[in-house]
Amino acid sequence: INVPEISPRSFSFNSPHGACLECHGLGTKLEIDPDLIIPNKNLTLAEGGIMPWSTTTSHLGWYNKILESVAKVHKFSMNVPIKKLSKEAMEIVFYGDKERQYTVQWGNSGNENVEDEDETMFSNGYSTTFEGVINNLQRRYLETDSDYVRKKIEGYMRILKCPSCNGKRLKPEILAVKINDLSIIDVTALSVKKAITYFQNLKLSPEKAEIAKLILHEIRNRLQFLENVGLSYLTMDRTANTLSGGEAQRIRLATQIGSKLSGVIYVLDEPSIGLHQNDNEKLIKTLNSLRDIGNTVIVVEHDVDTMMAADYIIDIGPGAGKNGGYIVAEGTPQEIIKNPNSITGKYLSGKMSVPVPSSRRKGNGKFLEIIEAEENNLKKINAKFPMGTFIGVTGVSGSGKSSLINDILVKKLSHELYGSKTDPGKHKEIKGLEYLDKIINIDQSPIGRTPRSNPATYTGVFTDIRELFAQTPDAKLRGYKAGRFSFNVKGGRCEACRGDGIKRIEMHFLPDIYVPCEACKGKRYNSEALEIRYRSKNIHEILEMTAEEALEFFKAIPTIKDKLNTLVEVGLGYIHLGQSATTLSGGEAQRIKLATELSKRATGKTLYVLDEPTTGLHFDDVKRLLIVLQKLVDKGNTVLVIEHNLDVIKSVDHILDLGPEGGDKGGEIIAQGTPEEIVKVKESYTGKWLKALLKK
């Protein structure tokens, strides 16, 4: 083989000099999946078992006519369940038979022409070859200019490893270049911890060692910085979109430490997100080292250890939203503790705290069990969860919590209960599925991606409010229905801005700017809709209310009151009903989802899964959140949280602690049981930190 001169660009999958020729450096290819084409193998071909050809549009009917002719020639039935068809028959259905011509009787009356995407005219007695379902979809996917058709066909595809490079993204000749038997892709697949060991133990000849001296110095330093900010479990080839906000922030922090600049102000927003107390110590040391070389470090944080390590604290409050915005206290941690106006100080001193529950629930005697979980770093573990309890899944960062819960449990239950297409992580089986009828995964994704979505629309309270406005005498007199009070439909909305309340002005070479609509002055409704009032308030004024104000205003209307009460209960009394979803933080979005679930009638057979629900929450908010979660469990449901916050961990009924470390050194169950049982396990880092709290 001919290998061009090797240069750094040869090792980049973003460069045509190094990228695999088949997948262009992506490492993956979209391939048609036969299981998605035939999701129900109990159906027959005649009953529409082939999903893409099951609808009755003309050209899809034509495909099935061809299939009838193919079945006759190859002697398989269109009327037996697909699972009973031979392997050979399915091979022909999927990949066709282009060697033979098939005569198809379309059976039209002579005046009906049917046109396929190939622009081939079909008529009686038409003769054609059969390309097969998979070949047909692949051809149409490559040839079509329609985004709709492309999206439709992608529904039958899965992302698979590129068969040429096996997911390694580079050309074979580049992968053949190795140092100590490892290619560049093998090295980047190592965790930071393993990579540190690899580069420290690298044995080179004197000549090569001299050439690599400066390069190795840089590599070792940068890897060490990543370990210092608690990221030793990450593999270096992790794609950016799979990193949590906290992980991405700490990677940027590691980059800054390496620059060794001084006289810089660093601003960090909750860097402790996703960090176990064990890793938190490393992070605090890193922040102190940045300060010690002459920088100013400003951290927005709720973590106790970070606050106590700070030189100066500014405490803002006293409440949230319109009840906040004042500097309540400032000074050293000790000065904050002594300040009677500071709620933060009271929690730091121990005067206020999240109470330890007086008893732990035993559950209802039923269990959900994951057998032989081995996704990512999990070591074929068997995890057992008691139903009807509040469960905490704990462990250091990278210990396998998300792999066990999000990748295996949530995906498997979504697949079983809702028919989700997502593939669960590697495991043998899950027992106890019959005890559940619902799984609610309450994550921190936005409740909507446009300004049209808001807490009122998401929780459903807006529907009740609009119905109420439609019942007013003025609305009845004018014949207004509930739709008149929606800013999303014609009738009541302002047509100048189509109910947005703002108008976008294109600035061509500058970013677009948004200005309040001149017609409605940002109120989103036309004057006719705003003339209708309920207790002297129009619909716009209602949307401007906070949840707390609206609760008082609608206290006589049970359906509205109950939904608003749940928003206040989860600590969101300060948000406006009409506040745009795009202005809500991840923690606020998560609590709105929680409030929505709380207002629904409980079945007692629901599993609620929350991943780090305390992100962005003050001690006082955590206390409120726990009251809400305990209420869900009191109704007979099971609540499972992945959490590092010790106030939450001490409040659960049952803990499953993973570890002992992150990455390859994790993935095992270190301890399980009540918090009191966990503190007795010496190997558990969680138990070590929990012990001090349970003694208080």
Side-chain angles (χ1 to χ4, degrees):
I1 59 166
N2 178 28
V3 181
E5 186 184 342
I6 291 172
S7 64
R9 67 185 182 181
S10 308
F11 297 94
S12 169
F13 45 73
N14 289 323
S15 160
H17 297 276
C20 163
L21 296 173
E22 191 164 336
C23 65
H24 307 293
L26 290 172
T28 56
K29 287 193 81 177
L30 269 174
E31 297 282 348
I32 306 284
D33 186 338
D35 288 338
L36 295 179
I37 291 173
I38 303 174
N40 184 355
K41 292 181 174 60
N42 292 316
L43 292 176
T44 67
L45 292 172
E47 287 170 337
I50 297 173
M51 196 70 174
W53 293 357
S54 62
T55 48
T56 53
T57 58
S58 300
H59 76 271
L60 295 180
W62 164 253
Y63 286 138
N64 285 322
K65 285 284 181 187
I66 299 176
L67 204 51
E68 283 173 22
S69 300
V70 173
K72 271 182 196 169
V73 171
H74 290 277
K75 297 184 172 56
F76 62 84
S77 173
M78 294 278 289
N79 298 304
V80 301
I82 291 171
K83 66 182 179 185
K84 291 187 178 175
L85 292 177
S86 69
K87 205 173 181 180
E88 292 73 25
M90 291 313 298
E91 195 72 14
I92 287 161
V93 170
F94 286 139
Y95 300 103
D97 174 12
K98 291 193 175 179
E99 303 299 314
R100 196 187 302 254
Q101 290 281 318
Y102 297 94
T103 303
V104 184
Q105 297 301 320
W106 181 247
N108 61 17
S109 58
N111 58 5
E112 182 188 349
N113 283 328
V114 184
E115 194 174 340
D116 185 79
E117 286 141 312
D118 313 55
E119 297 179 4
T120 310
M121 301 302 288
F122 302 145
S123 59
N124 266 328
Y126 184 78
S127 193
T128 183
T129 58
F130 178 61
E131 62 183 339
V133 188
I134 289 178
N135 289 338
N136 169 272
L137 290 172
Q138 282 174 337
R139 175 182 60 77
R140 287 165 58 204
Y141 185 74
L142 293 170
E143 289 177 1
T144 187
D145 292 325
S146 163
D147 283 341
Y148 173 76
V149 172
R150 191 175 280 268
K151 199 107 181 127
K152 196 95 172 151
I153 296 173
E154 280 174 2
Y156 304 109
M157 292 175 148
R158 287 204 195 279
I159 298 171
L160 303 172
K161 272 186 184 176
C162 166
S164 178
C165 65
N166 197 29
K168 294 194 171 180
R169 308 172 93 171
L170 295 172
K171 292 175 181 173
E173 58 267 32
I174 302 304
L175 291 169
V177 179
K178 297 187 177 183
I179 297 174
N180 276 18
D181 294 330
L182 295 184
S183 71
I184 188 166
I185 296 298
D186 297 331
V187 172
T188 55
L190 297 173
S191 67
V192 169
K193 202 169 192 72
K194 279 195 167 181
I196 289 171
T197 308
Y198 173 79
F199 284 108
Q200 278 172 347
N201 299 335
L202 200 58
K203 298 283 186 286
L204 299 172
S205 67
E207 185 190 349
K208 287 178 180 173
E210 190 57 39
I211 295 167
K213 189 177 173 184
L214 290 173
I215 300 170
L216 284 173
H217 176 73
E218 276 299 313
I219 290 172
R220 287 167 184 155
N221 270 356
R222 290 174 194 216
L223 288 170
Q224 196 58 55
F225 298 146
L226 285 169
E227 186 177 44
N228 290 347
V229 292
L231 295 174
S232 58
Y233 61 91
L234 284 185
T235 56
M236 293 181 289
D237 60 359
R238 269 281 286 271
T239 51
N241 61 349
T242 65
L243 296 168
S244 70
E247 285 169 339
Q249 189 179 41
R250 295 202 297 280
I251 287 170
R252 290 196 293 273
L253 181 61
T255 312
Q256 290 303 320
I257 301 163
S259 68
K260 291 195 175 165
L261 293 171
S262 61
V264 176
I265 292 180
Y266 290 104
V267 180
L268 294 97
D269 192 354
E270 302 232 30
S272 69
I273 290 171
L275 272 190
H276 190 273
Q277 299 304 118
N278 235 40
D279 302 311
N280 212 16
E281 282 186 306
K282 290 179 189 171
L283 177 67
I284 291 167
K285 277 181 188 169
T286 303
L287 297 177
N288 281 335
S289 68
L290 274 177
R291 173 201 64 191
D292 293 342
I293 58 171
N295 299 301
T296 303
V297 181
I298 299 172
V299 183
V300 180
E301 191 54 272
H302 295 104
D303 177 70
V304 178
D305 294 332
T306 310
M307 286 190 226
M308 294 308 287
D311 300 310
Y312 195 82
I313 294 177
I314 297 174
D315 189 28
I316 297 177
K322 69 169 195 173
N323 300 323
Y326 298 97
I327 291 176
V328 176
E330 54 186 318
T332 64
Q334 293 310 316
E335 287 169 339
I336 298 293
I337 285 170
K338 288 172 187 170
N339 192 317
N341 300 320
S342 171
I343 295 174
T344 304
K346 285 174 185 169
Y347 275 96
L348 289 176
S349 68
K351 283 179 188 170
M352 289 176 78
S353 65
V354 175
V356 177
S358 55
S359 63
R360 310 283 182 193
R361 300 178 189 86
K362 298 287 183 204
N364 55 22
K366 297 167 185 171
F367 292 89
L368 191 64
E369 291 182 70
I370 304 174
I371 310 295
E372 291 187 18
E374 51 178 324
E375 179 72 359
N376 296 328
N377 66 337
L378 297 173
K379 313 276 196 301
K380 279 198 173 182
I381 60 172
N382 297 329
K384 199 171 181 181
F385 305 100
M387 308 298 287
T389 63
F390 186 10
I391 303 164
V393 178
T394 62
V396 297
S397 307
S399 58
K401 302 184 297 296
S402 291
S403 299
L404 182 68
I405 304 304
N406 296 331
D407 295 346
I408 297 177
L409 184 64
V410 172
K411 285 184 179 177
K412 177 70 174 176
L413 288 174
S414 300
H415 180 73
E416 292 294 327
L417 297 173
Y418 308 122
S420 160
K421 285 183 183 177
T422 53
D423 275 341
K426 202 173 176 188
H427 68 288
K428 188 178 177 184
E429 65 171 319
I430 293 183
K431 293 179 180 176
L433 294 175
E434 65 274 17
Y435 305 134
L436 295 171
D437 62 6
K438 251 197 317 183
I439 177 169
I440 310 290
N441 186 19
I442 305 175
D443 59 16
Q444 296 204 355
S445 60
I447 59 168
R449 298 189 182 276
T450 69
R452 289 183 179 274
S453 183
N454 58 45
T457 55
Y458 190 86
T459 56
V461 73
F462 195 41
T463 305
D464 299 322
I465 291 170
R466 288 189 289 114
E467 291 286 351
L468 189 64
F469 267 80
Q471 296 300 316
T472 59
D474 282 353
K476 283 182 172 178
L477 199 64
R478 300 186 190 193
Y480 291 171
K481 303 288 182 215
R484 172 69 72 157
F485 303 100
S486 168
F487 48 73
N488 287 324
V489 293
K490 283 184 179 179
R493 74 179 183 189
C494 165
E495 285 305 323
C497 62
R498 296 189 173 184
D500 278 335
I502 50 175
K503 292 188 93 171
R504 187 179 72 172
I505 298 173
E506 290 185 25
M507 299 296 285
H508 299 296
F509 301 111
L510 293 168
D512 294 345
I513 61 168
Y514 294 86
V515 295
C517 168
E518 288 177 11
C520 66
K521 304 286 187 290
K523 291 182 178 177
R524 310 177 88 162
Y525 292 92
N526 58 31
S527 56
E528 290 85 354
L530 293 173
E531 282 169 8
I532 307 298
R533 292 179 175 269
Y534 171 77
R535 289 183 55 205
S536 77
K537 300 275 185 191
N538 63 32
I539 191 75
H540 166 70
E541 288 165 343
I542 297 289
L543 288 175
E544 285 297 295
M545 285 182 176
T546 64
E548 231 158 29
E549 290 167 343
L551 179 62
E552 177 59 30
F553 187 78
F554 290 111
K555 64 184 177 187
I557 317 291
T559 52
I560 298 175
K561 178 191 159 191
D562 291 346
K563 286 174 184 168
L564 291 172
N565 197 44
T566 56
L567 277 174
V568 175
E569 276 183 358
V570 296
L572 293 176
Y574 62 90
I575 61 168
H576 294 272
L577 296 187
Q579 192 170 329
S580 161
T582 55
T583 65
L584 297 166
S585 70
E588 286 171 333
Q590 190 176 37
R591 281 182 288 156
I592 287 171
K593 292 175 189 176
L594 194 58
T596 307
E597 289 306 323
L598 202 63
S599 64
K600 292 177 183 174
R601 184 170 293 162
T603 62
K605 291 177 74 178
T606 304
L607 173 66
Y608 295 93
V609 178
L610 295 95
D611 194 346
E612 302 229 28
T614 59
T615 300
L617 294 194
H618 186 271
F619 310 105
D620 219 40
D621 297 320
V622 171
K623 191 190 255 185
R624 284 188 180 197
L625 177 71
L626 283 167
I627 292 167
V628 171
L629 295 178
Q630 298 284 14
K631 272 188 184 177
L632 284 173
V633 186
D634 290 338
K635 289 180 180 178
N637 302 301
T638 306
V639 172
L640 189 155
V641 294
I642 300 171
E643 193 51 272
H644 292 110
N645 183 291
L646 292 170
D647 282 328
V648 174
I649 297 169
K650 76 179 186 189
S651 304
V652 302
D653 303 312
H654 184 86
I655 293 174
L656 188 82
D657 191 36
L658 295 176
E661 304 287 344
D664 290 343
K665 290 188 178 176
E668 295 178 46
I669 295 174
I670 300 303
Q672 51 188 325
T674 64
E676 287 75 16
E677 288 167 338
I678 297 295
V679 298
K680 293 173 186 170
V681 181
K682 287 179 183 174
E683 295 78 17
S684 169
Y685 289 137
T686 304
K688 178 185 124 184
W689 290 94
L690 203 52
K691 191 179 275 187
L693 273 190
L694 292 180
K695 279 179 183 173
K696 285 181 182 177

